[in-house]
Amino acid sequence: MLDCVKHCLVALAVLAVTGGIVQAKDVSVTYETQGRAIFTFAAPDNWQVLTGFEVLPSDLQGGETPAPRIVSLFPLEGDRVMWSGLWSPTTIGRLDELEDYLALLAPQLLSDVRVTFRDERLINGRESRIVSGTGTKDGRDLDFALVAIQVRSDRVAMAAFIGQPEIYDRYEGELIGIMNSIRAVESQ
């Protein structure tokens, strides 16, 4: 699991620098990893979509778990003072595995993490969990929100935001729209 977290962080770093850029305008994006379409979501108008890259099992050494493709989204305006991304971890298949996954992931992204809100609800008819709160990175206070949706019996879709509090407030409508647009792609 720790290997997966490390690969996710490497993927995030490389994605921020080299990911493919798509100009989003009323675009439905299909998230695919390891040859399987997992879910779709709507990218807001005037946002960039960085499609990321995929680490294949054949590219890894000795039993490591490949990191999932991470799709990042950014408003065209601004200077990337926030990050929002979507992915489907290969290491968890059920929402009841989420806590262990987050326990490994959260400290890698932020320090002094404080969860201030938890909720369980249905999103597009699928069981989901929402966790949000605050943390710090490089001495800056940041807000985070993470949504996990059970899109298939064996797959979870993740949507996350990390950024300055006023940035979340500015883009709250678009971020909620992304979350509410996540729909499962039925098994192929």
Side-chain angles (χ1 to χ4, degrees):
M1 177 85 81
L2 191 53
D3 287 330
C4 180
V5 172
K6 288 178 186 175
H7 288 292
C8 283
L9 295 175
V10 169
L12 285 173
V14 173
L15 182 64
V17 176
T18 65
I21 297 176
V22 175
Q23 186 78 16
K25 178 101 174 134
D26 296 318
V27 172
S28 176
V29 179
T30 299
Y31 176 89
E32 183 178 309
T33 188
Q34 298 177 359
R36 287 178 70 190
I38 308 298
F39 62 92
T40 62
F41 66 94
D45 288 347
N46 299 314
W47 283 45
Q48 290 181 343
V49 178
L50 299 168
T51 60
F53 61 91
E54 183 148 33
V55 178
L56 301 173
S58 60
D59 296 337
L60 299 174
Q61 311 236 343
E64 292 180 38
T65 303
R69 174 186 303 272
I70 300 173
V71 176
S72 294
L73 294 95
F74 300 95
L76 287 177
E77 60 191 48
D79 54 3
R80 293 197 181 170
V81 293
M82 62 172 271
W83 174 79
S84 54
L86 295 101
W87 70 99
S88 180
T90 57
T91 55
I92 65 170
R94 303 272 320 143
L95 287 177
D96 57 8
E97 301 169 285
L98 185 62
E99 292 300 318
D100 291 338
Y101 179 74
L102 293 179
L104 291 172
L105 185 62
Q108 303 297 321
L109 299 175
L110 296 169
S111 49
D112 302 320
V113 173
R114 292 170 303 283
V115 173
T116 58
F117 178 80
R118 290 181 186 271
D119 191 24
E120 294 186 19
R121 64 177 72 164
L122 292 179
I123 297 176
N124 295 317
R126 305 289 180 155
E127 182 182 354
S128 67
R129 294 189 181 156
I130 301 171
V131 177
S132 65
T134 61
T136 58
K137 178 96 174 164
D138 300 326
R140 292 184 307 162
D141 292 330
L142 300 172
D143 283 349
F144 73 88
L146 178 87
V147 178
I149 302 171
Q150 189 75 52
V151 290
R152 291 188 184 161
S153 62
D154 65 340
R155 288 308 287 252
V156 174
M158 308 286 282
F161 162 84
I162 299 174
Q164 297 170 343
E166 64 274 7
I167 299 301
Y168 181 84
D169 294 343
R170 182 186 312 161
Y171 296 108
E172 181 177 14
E174 290 94 336
L175 294 165
I176 290 172
I178 293 167
M179 176 190 74
N180 288 331
S181 73
I182 296 172
R183 298 209 180 339
V185 172
E186 299 308 319
S187 296
Q188 302 170 353

